[in-house]
Structure formats: C-alpha cells, structure tokens
Amino acid sequence: MPEALPDRPPHVVPDRAPEQARPDYPLALDLNGRRVLVVGGGPVAARRARGLLDAGARVDVVAPELGPEMTILVSEGAVRWSPVAFRVADLVLPEPAWLVHTATGVPDVDAEVMRAADAQRVWCVRADLASASSAWTPAVSRGAVGSPAEGLTVAVTGGGDPRRAVAVRDAIAAGLESGSLPVRRLRPVSHPSSVAPVDPPRIGRVWLVGGGPGDADLITVRGRTVLAAADVVVADRLGPRSLLDDLGPDVEVIDVGKTPGHHPISQERINELIVEHALAGRDVVRLKGGDPFVLGRGGEEALHCLANGVPVEVVPGVTSAISVPAAAGIPVTQRGITASFVVASAHEGAGAALEALRDAPVSSTLVLLMGITTLRETAEQLMAAGRSPSTPVAFVESGWTDDQRTTVTTLEKAADVAEQEAVQAPAIIVIGEVVSMHAQLGDLRGSRGSRGRRGRQGLQGLQGRASPDLREVVLLAHGSPDPRHAVGVAAVVDHVRRLAPSRGIHTAYLDHHPPSATDVAGRLTGGVLVPLLLTRATHVRGDVPVAAAEMTALGHGAYAVAGALGPDELLFVACEELLAAGKFARDERTAVILYAGGSSDREAIAAIGAAAAARAGRGWGPWTVAALAGGDTLAEVVERLHADPAVDRVLVLSYMIADGVLRDRMVAQAQQVGVEFVPGTLSETDALAELVLVRAAGAR
C-alpha cells in the first residue's frame, strides 16, 4: 500500500501592515479553457469578465442581479450565470475554480468570498480592497496581433496606486507603438509540446518604409515601429539615416545608397538582397527617403518579393515632392494661384515632365525630382513647349536638414543660376507661380506644430450624406477660459482613444475655447456628437442639438446626438475610482457628497441627488449632492449629514469632468466647513471614458 499523504496544514496568511499588503511575486497565468469564478454582476465585474474571456477562460458568474454590460455577456452565451447569492460551493462546483474575482460592491460579501477562496487555496482578486486580495490585476498592455510587438505583454502594478500603474503602462504602450522600445524577437517561438513538430522554415517579413524627407522626426509612427523590429535594414542614402544609430549591434545594415552617376549596387541586386534575407527567416526593412511609391522603385521591390513568396507591406512616407517645398514656404497649391500640381522625374530630361503636363492646366505647379544634372535641357524643352521664360523657379537643397537652402530664379535663368550657386543634389525643383510665396512665408522648416486629425474620406461626392459616420465621435465640451479645463478634456479624449483605437475621437467646445463644433465638422464627413456634460440641463436640451444641426448644415455629413453623460451608474463607478485612488475605504458610516457646478435647472440637480441616494447600502453611508448654484449649498448638506447619528465622516467629491476655477471654489468651501475633499477629477477615470462610448453607441 502506498503511504498516505499527510493532511495539509491550514493556510495561514501572515499579518502585514496595509502598506506592505501587496503581491510580491509577479506571474503570468494560462487560463485558456480553465474555469474562473466572477462574483458580482455590475460594470466592474463585467470588465473583469471580458478580460478573462479574452484570455480564453471559461467564466462562471454568480450574482442575484446583472447590470446591462454583464447581461449582454450572458445573452451572447459568453459566460454562464447563476442567479443566486454567493455560496462556498460555487468555488468547487461544477468543478474547482482556478481563480476568483469578486466585485459585488458589498464589502461583507467580497470579504466572505475572499475568506472562502483562501480556505480553498484559490487565488482571489478583490476589486474593492486591494490590500485584502491574495492577487492583483495589473494594468496590462499587449502588442497588437500582426504588429512587430505581437506576443509582448507588459503588466504593471502600482504599489496600491492604480492610476500610477496605468500611467506607466500607457507610457510603455506608447513606446511599443512608436518603435522607441526594442520589440524585435531575439529567439524563435517555442512549441508548447516537448516534441516540436517539423515546420517549414520561417519566411521573414519585408517592410518597404518611406522614411520621409530626411529629418528623423518625420518618419511615420508605423515606420519607426517596424524599424525597431528589423533583423536587416537595406538603407538608401536619402533616408533618415540617424535612426540607424539606434539599432542593436546585431542588426545588419546594408548600405545601398546611390549618388548621381554612381550606383554601386544595382536595383536588381537590391531586389535579390531583400528576398535572400527574408527567405532566410529574417525580417527586413527597406528604408527609403520620401515615399517608396513616389519615384522610389518600391513597386519593383514589392513585385519581386511577391514573385518569390515573400510577404511584403508598404509603409507610406512623407514625400519630398510636397514636404520639401513646404519647408521652404512654397505650397504646391495655393488658392488664387493654382489648384493642381504635377510631380515628375527629370533624371532623363524633360520628357516625363512634358508628358505629365500634357493634360494639366497651364497654371499647374511642376515639381521635379532628380533634375539638377539635366536642368539646362529640361528648362529649354519646357520653354519650347510654351512655358514662359519668366516663370518663377525655386531650388530647395537638402530639405528638412540643417543644410537646407532655397534659391529663387526664373525658368530662362535657371541653369545658369544653378551653376553659379553650385546647387547640388539632393534638391527639389519647383516651377510655377507658387514660388512667389517663398518671399512672403520664408523658411518654415522650424514650424513643427502638431498635425490635426483629418476626415477618413475627402469631401468630394459626399454632399447631402444622409446618415452619420459612426466611426467619428465628437466630444462637445462647454469650455472655460481656464486652461485647466482643456487639459481635463484632453485626458478624457486620451482615455476614450485607448478604449476605441479604431474610432476617430475629436474635441469641440461650445464656448471659450477652439475649435468650435463647426470647425471640427468642416474636416469630417459626419459622426456622433457626445456632450461632455453631466446633467440633462439647458445646454443638453438646447445648445447641443443646435450645434449638431449647424454641423450637419455644412453639407459634409450628418451628426447623431447622444444624451448627457449623467446621471448614470458608470459616473458613480468613476466616482468610486477616485475614492479608491485616494485610498478612501468603503465605510457605512462615511457619507459622500457629489459637488456639482450647478445649473439654473433645479430639476437636473435633483436628478443627480436621486440617483446618488440609490448608492446607499453598497458599503458606504449616504450619497447626496450639493451645488454651487441651482441646488442645496455645501454648508446645508454638510449640516444635515453632521446631524445624522449614523454618519461619522463626510467626503466631498467634485462632480465635474475637469479642473478649473469652479473646482477651486469647491475645495475652498470644503475647507471652510471642515470636510475632506477627494483628490482628482472624473477626467482621470476609465469609467467616464467607457460611459462616453456607451452614449455614442446609443446616439440618435
């Protein structure tokens, strides 16, 4: 008979001070196909359930009632629901759970789940009290499938400070997306089984990357990302070569740069090099100047890759044909001068340019690349074809570098001036009346302002569009002369973009701050208008529909209108995020005052109070509302609460999206009446961003 195993001693959790109560051993779990128990049916539990489903877990939910988000998961069959209160047996039936998440919002229930899980030696995450949890859920960022960062998972804990963890997580995520972090895979993917199957040799990927006009800052984010993942870089002379200094020592850089009249490596050999390395299993970046498909022979390289079974992706770049003249203060089109331009190679004279100009308006700007060595012949042929000898001409050398130089002359003098001034390649030649703008604008290379988002489609052919483009969401804020307000709105936009990266998220203001709603609508083709307003008061009923009508009246597209953000359950979840971040623990003898900016509509303020009152009994004392205008003052509400024998402590929380002068007044008044003010604003919370998307989905 085998010797019986001894009974396990009961599990004892060592006592630690609250500031020490944190998991000390980071670990990644494989939950694929494993049962996980979620206790609770509200929005927090639903968020946890979605994350577990993404990890492949089989999720069982135990809750007497479900909120709308969890109801959707149940109706889709994504989770299995037991409509009962938690029982200890739920941990082991119908089979033992590998992990437990409890998020009921009731401290006694969450504590009971924690104790039962501990007794069964099952890791448990308690949403309301991290210090009592045996496990924590970190802030997580994952490399997108198909991206160079695929397979990377970054998890951050903040030592009990979730906002700190999220901030660090987001910074790392930005690094993964921008290519500023080393994402290149350094070892092959291992097989899960002990006996690896015999797979065919891996074929590497090829990226044809347009590096822009030369300045390393002008490569696209995608270009920088794939460059960080490359095993081999085949580089041109005119690409952003300074980026090569940031590559690891084991990345092979092959210089195939060409100079005028000197091509040490033929295009055919470049094609072969790219394919040879890819077929050897290496990921290859073909780094070019400008755009790979604008006189860059990228099409030839793509065809050669595909003909040899090598996957290829083009990463567009900022073409020098447009960006270099711009750096010199020469727009290739200008209202009142010309509405068209032609780009051509002058490497072999004016033949290509003349062919391109055949059907173009006579006012069209002509932009020539690779044309310095044949300039005299080109100028003569253009004048013979009808171009005026006095047509302005500009040479822009070494655009977007510290050596940039602009020389202006006329077509008849162009060749002589180029010789006198020793104009050298790389140089862009601009021919047309727009060259006169250089005298007015000067060198614009140092103007590096941010580029605004543009509509996903041009406006041509979209007049009278009848239905809104639901991919585009415009957040309409009231506005304030205090710049802190715009900072808060920007924080909301950033949160929403992280939750919905495939949607265009834009900001507009009713007053005090640009851009206006019609300014934003001028570059879109319709969308959804979501008011960043927390009450159903005057602005929501009057100003917002008017703004939507004015946006639609521009004729570029229609706009659906969402309802006000509040009052709503998710807003109260956002409030609880701030309470948790401020380390205010649930306590049935602690009252919470939501301090609103106020409104002339007393019913709107009363609606907040009615919704807040329903929060009682969820581990807190009474929730109520005060207002700077249109409702009970803070002093009145505090006086009532202090008279309540069931209340020992009063917390005041700003029921406003952003910081500003009104919140300053709230803090000062809280100090005057002797109550604590909760740090932070709703703009910092995930729940508010989630609510924006919920409202956008229900817009009409």
Side-chain angles (χ1 to χ4, degrees), residues 354-665:
L354 291 171
E355 182 67 26
L357 287 169
R358 189 183 307 279
D359 298 320
V362 294
S363 63
S364 295
T365 302
L366 177 60
V367 181
L368 298 178
L369 281 64
M370 300 174 286
I372 294 300
T373 56
T374 61
L375 179 58
R376 188 173 299 279
E377 175 191 356
T378 300
E380 291 173 353
Q381 292 182 14
L382 287 172
M383 287 186 289
R387 283 270 170 161
S388 169
S390 62
T391 302
V393 174
F395 310 116
V396 186
E397 301 169 75
S398 301
W400 292 99
T401 73
D402 292 338
D403 297 324
Q404 177 175 312
R405 181 177 69 148
T406 303
T407 304
V408 176
T409 182
T410 60
L411 188 57
E412 64 179 344
K413 300 178 181 178
D416 292 336
V417 170
E419 291 179 0
Q420 294 166 9
E421 297 295 329
V423 174
Q424 297 180 351
I428 301 296
I429 304 171
V430 186
I431 302 172
E433 297 300 327
V434 292
V435 170
S436 62
M437 296 292 295
H438 172 72
Q440 303 174 52
L441 298 176
D443 188 343
L444 298 181
R445 186 175 65 89
S447 182
R448 310 296 284 276
S450 60
R451 278 75 169 172
R453 291 177 64 94
R454 301 187 64 175
R456 296 172 185 265
Q457 304 179 52
L459 301 182
Q460 183 177 359
L462 292 173
Q463 301 298 326
R465 182 183 177 118
S467 60
D469 184 349
L470 299 181
R471 296 168 303 177
E472 305 293 342
V473 179
V474 180
L475 307 187
L476 184 61
H478 182 273
S480 167
D482 190 319
R484 291 174 293 175
H485 178 78
V487 172
V489 173
V492 178
V493 170
D494 288 342
H495 275 70
V496 176
R497 284 176 178 164
R498 285 197 295 270
L499 291 179
S502 64
R503 303 183 75 169
I505 310 298
H506 314 268
T507 309
Y509 293 86
L510 286 170
D511 199 4
H512 297 298
H513 197 285
S516 68
T518 51
D519 289 339
V520 174
R523 61 178 187 263
L524 300 180
T525 58
V528 178
L529 190 63
V530 180
L532 286 184
L533 301 168
L534 303 185
T535 66
R536 297 187 291 268
T538 306
H539 292 301
V540 172
R541 294 198 301 268
D543 296 339
V544 174
V546 169
E550 292 175 346
M551 295 166 80
T552 301
L554 293 178
H556 300 161
Y559 287 83
V561 180
L565 297 182
D568 188 276
E569 175 65 18
L570 277 174
L571 268 181
F572 298 126
V573 173
C575 292
E576 294 209 7
E577 280 189 49
L578 292 180
L579 289 164
K583 302 188 184 305
F584 295 102
R586 289 176 184 266
D587 184 347
E588 294 182 349
R589 301 188 66 81
T590 297
V592 178
I593 300 175
L594 304 182
Y595 204 178
S599 168
S600 58
D601 187 341
R602 296 188 67 90
E603 291 184 2
I605 300 299
I608 303 171
R615 305 289 297 172
R618 303 190 188 187
W620 294 98
W623 282 50
T624 186
V625 66
L628 288 172
D632 292 342
T633 67
L634 181 65
E636 292 170 339
V637 176
V638 170
E639 183 177 2
R640 287 200 301 268
L641 291 172
H642 281 165
D644 186 344
V647 173
D648 293 335
R649 186 183 190 186
V650 176
L651 302 177
V652 178
L653 190 150
S654 171
Y655 188 77
M656 299 184 71
I657 288 176
D659 206 349
V661 292
L662 293 183
R663 187 175 180 278
D664 291 345
R665 288 174 55 191

